[in-house]
Amino acid sequence: MAVRDAVAGDVDRIADIKVRSWADTYGPLVPREVLGRFLDTERSAAEIHELVRSPDTLLLVGPSTGDIQGFALTYMSRSPEPWLESLHVMQDERGRGLGTLLIRETAKRLLAAGYHSLSLGVILGNDRASKFYERLGGVPVRVEPVNFAEGVEHTVWRWPDLTSLG
């Protein structure tokens, strides 16, 4: 299995994956009135379409052939280090290695671009994601409020040395 850079033709599938993942993962963790705007596939596709064209965004999809089952979206120019905004894999494909492949390829690309560390946030209660990042060597560094929903917090996970993901 391999991953590749996303192209404009992948946007609708990426939006579908993101919306489905938000619904089944965050439904019980985020207030319904906040979650609603993240379950709009058209809105999600419009946002992702803009990101595909941005030189400061790394958007990978996998597998590289056939029907896309997951993606990783990283904001490379976020300060103080790149931020993995999204890593989503279709529910039926979880546990088969695609998420690991996506994050490892993200790390390789970031290292090649001169970055050395990476952070991301995991909504409190998303224990499956926390265990996944812990297995990959991520370190929880703090709990803080998210910027999109009052009363919702996330744990910030960090890789201070991306070579550990290689």
Side-chain angles (χ1 to χ4, degrees):
M1 184 175 0
V3 300
R4 62 173 172 79
D5 290 294
V7 296
D10 298 327
V11 168
D12 288 341
R13 178 63 177 158
I14 294 167
D16 181 52
I17 292 168
K18 186 171 187 176
V19 166
R20 286 182 188 204
S21 186
W22 268 79
D24 42 82
T25 302
Y26 301 124
L29 305 175
V30 175
R32 195 68 166 146
E33 62 275 7
V34 172
L35 190 61
R37 72 176 186 256
F38 295 101
L39 302 181
D40 181 336
T41 306
E42 282 186 34
R43 179 180 175 199
S44 184
E47 291 171 357
I48 294 165
H49 190 68
E50 291 301 315
L51 294 171
V52 167
R53 295 187 294 211
S54 171
D56 295 328
T57 300
L58 175 61
L59 181 56
L60 302 174
V61 296
S64 60
T65 59
D67 195 24
I68 295 168
Q69 297 296 314
F71 73 94
L73 169 63
T74 306
Y75 298 139
M76 293 172 45
S77 63
R78 179 146 172 198
S79 185
E81 63 197 351
W83 180 264
L84 181 66
E85 192 277 338
S86 293
L87 177 65
H88 295 287
V89 174
M90 291 297 288
Q91 193 169 24
D92 292 348
E93 291 297 315
R94 293 177 191 161
R96 296 183 183 182
L98 180 56
T100 300
L101 188 60
L102 285 162
I103 197 166
R104 286 191 170 144
E105 184 63 23
T106 295
K108 286 180 194 174
R109 301 285 188 92
L110 291 173
L111 284 165
Y115 298 99
H116 302 286
S117 59
L118 174 68
S119 292
L120 61 90
V122 175
I123 300 288
L124 293 184
N126 188 354
D127 298 334
R128 182 180 178 116
S130 292
K131 289 174 186 171
F132 171 74
Y133 295 123
E134 184 175 31
R135 275 193 317 273
L136 291 172
V139 178
V141 292
R142 68 184 172 278
V143 173
E144 64 186 21
V146 299
N147 62 0
F148 63 86
E150 188 174 327
V152 177
E153 295 182 320
H154 66 191
T155 301
V156 174
W157 288 80
R158 184 168 191 261
W159 285 266
D161 178 7
L162 285 174
T163 60
S164 68
L165 276 168

